[in-house]
Amino acid sequence: MNQLKEGIKKTVDINADLGEFCNAEQLANELKILKYISSSSIACSGHIGDSKSIRVILEACKINNIAVGPHPSYPDQKGFGRNPMNITLRDLESSLREQIQLFFTVANSLSMPVTHVKFHGQLYNEVAQNKRLGNMLINMIYSIDQNLSIIGPANSLLEFIIKNSSIPFISEAFIDRRYQEDSSLVNRNQGNALIESIQDQVHQARSIVIDEKVMTVSNKNIKIKADTLCIHGDNQNSLNAVKAVSEMLKKENIQIHPPSL
């Protein structure tokens, strides 16, 4: 068994993006994922989802003691929130507030605490690099609940902005996405954006957690320090991937636990 490097923490969060199911089979897959994760970001009507889907996932998360938060996006169900959108900051803020409030309404009805917010898709990518957008969203989240953390990409402009604010930041890395040298994700439109092999996903997860580095598409190792690993619940092999990553972490004596802020 490999020994942890000095200074490397012995816990890591695994966060799954859930509530994105379209049928019973996909829902069953999402519910099985809950056995291997410690937190969940749940779609709340922007790219998919409604009060019923939110409730189904929240009830299951409550049973499995999973930390939860809303997963709002551009109001773009046609493009699943993954396309650029021509929308004013005012209209975007209004939509996001509605999405987050919908989530809180369901969570409060179940007496479930809400721990974080994680933006979805194109909005996630843009807020990581756009200072004006980032400041707007930070102020919006703070006005909704001052105890909410924001999950965002490690080494991003958003991380820098938030760490100079009063909102806790949870740095995230992906096991199934390839990275550029500037720590941004390769665009999904490119053929090499996704890591589909479970073995390769486990290898990237281990590199992130144990070595605090990730290999870029240009075959260069860059430093990355992440509090949470992302699992996309809508991926076909997500269940097998999270099981394999969970087993790897256990062998390395690393506990899967929500972020301690």
Side-chain angles (χ1 to χ4, degrees):
M1 183 176 296
N2 295 325
Q3 298 297 315
L4 285 175
K5 291 183 178 181
E6 184 178 355
I8 301 297
K9 59 186 177 182
K10 297 183 180 180
T11 66
V12 70
D13 175 52
I14 297 182
N15 182 283
D17 300 337
L18 300 178
E20 298 176 337
F21 58 90
C22 295
N23 53 51
E25 181 180 358
Q26 291 175 358
L27 171 58
N29 187 70
E30 288 197 8
L31 296 179
K32 291 175 183 177
I33 288 173
L34 294 177
K35 298 179 181 179
Y36 305 97
I37 65 174
S38 45
S39 68
S40 174
S41 302
I42 302 170
C44 46
S45 81
H47 61 293
I48 196 171
D50 54 24
S51 59
K52 291 182 180 179
S53 62
I54 294 170
R55 180 174 293 274
V56 167
I57 299 300
L58 280 178
E59 288 176 341
C61 285
K62 188 172 185 178
I63 292 172
N64 288 275
N65 197 30
I66 304 296
V68 299
H71 194 35
S73 77
Y74 279 126
D76 171 34
Q77 295 201 354
K78 183 178 180 180
F80 204 69
R82 287 177 174 160
N83 297 322
M85 191 170 188
N86 185 16
I87 185 173
T88 66
L89 286 182
R90 182 176 180 178
D91 289 343
L92 175 59
E93 180 178 356
S94 176
S95 174
L96 294 174
R97 284 184 179 274
E98 289 180 5
Q99 294 176 51
I100 294 171
Q101 185 55 56
L102 173 63
F103 183 90
F104 265 87
T105 298
V106 180
N108 289 341
S109 73
L110 297 171
S111 300
M112 290 192 69
V114 180
T115 63
H116 66 270
V117 174
K118 177 185 171 183
F119 300 109
H120 166 81
Q122 183 67 18
L123 182 60
Y124 179 94
N125 294 330
E126 290 184 9
V127 73
Q129 302 172 357
N130 187 312
K131 186 175 182 179
R132 185 182 177 205
L133 179 60
N135 282 325
M136 184 275 281
L137 295 179
I138 290 169
N139 291 333
M140 180 195 70
I141 297 302
Y142 190 76
S143 71
I144 293 173
D145 188 330
Q146 297 180 12
N147 295 315
L148 286 176
S149 303
I150 294 180
I151 294 178
N155 299 339
S156 63
L157 176 62
L158 179 65
E159 179 175 13
F160 175 79
I161 295 172
I162 292 180
K163 287 192 172 180
N164 286 279
S165 74
S166 55
I167 292 183
F169 181 75
I170 300 172
S171 58
E172 180 177 53
F174 292 78
I175 71 166
D176 61 353
R177 296 292 303 277
R178 300 194 190 279
Y179 280 83
Q180 306 275 15
E181 288 188 19
D182 65 356
S183 298
S184 65
L185 299 174
V186 175
N187 193 293
R188 281 180 175 269
N189 294 329
Q190 299 184 28
N192 61 347
L194 302 179
I195 299 174
E196 298 181 354
S197 161
I198 292 179
Q199 181 179 358
D200 289 343
Q201 291 180 19
V202 172
H203 176 77
Q204 179 148 304
R206 188 186 185 284
S207 178
I208 291 168
V209 177
I210 303 295
D211 300 321
E212 294 188 346
K213 64 183 182 181
V214 67
M215 180 72 74
T216 69
V217 288
S218 57
N219 294 320
K220 179 180 178 181
N221 278 313
I222 58 173
K223 293 182 178 180
I224 191 167
K225 191 170 184 179
D227 302 308
T228 183
L229 300 176
C230 175
I231 299 291
H232 288 109
D234 61 328
N235 281 1
Q236 188 173 6
N237 67 352
S238 56
L239 177 59
N240 290 331
V242 72
K243 287 171 64 176
V245 170
S246 174
E247 291 172 0
M248 177 274 293
L249 293 173
K250 289 179 180 178
K251 289 180 180 179
E252 298 290 349
N253 291 324
I254 298 173
Q255 296 183 351
I256 299 169
H257 193 276
S260 298
L261 300 172

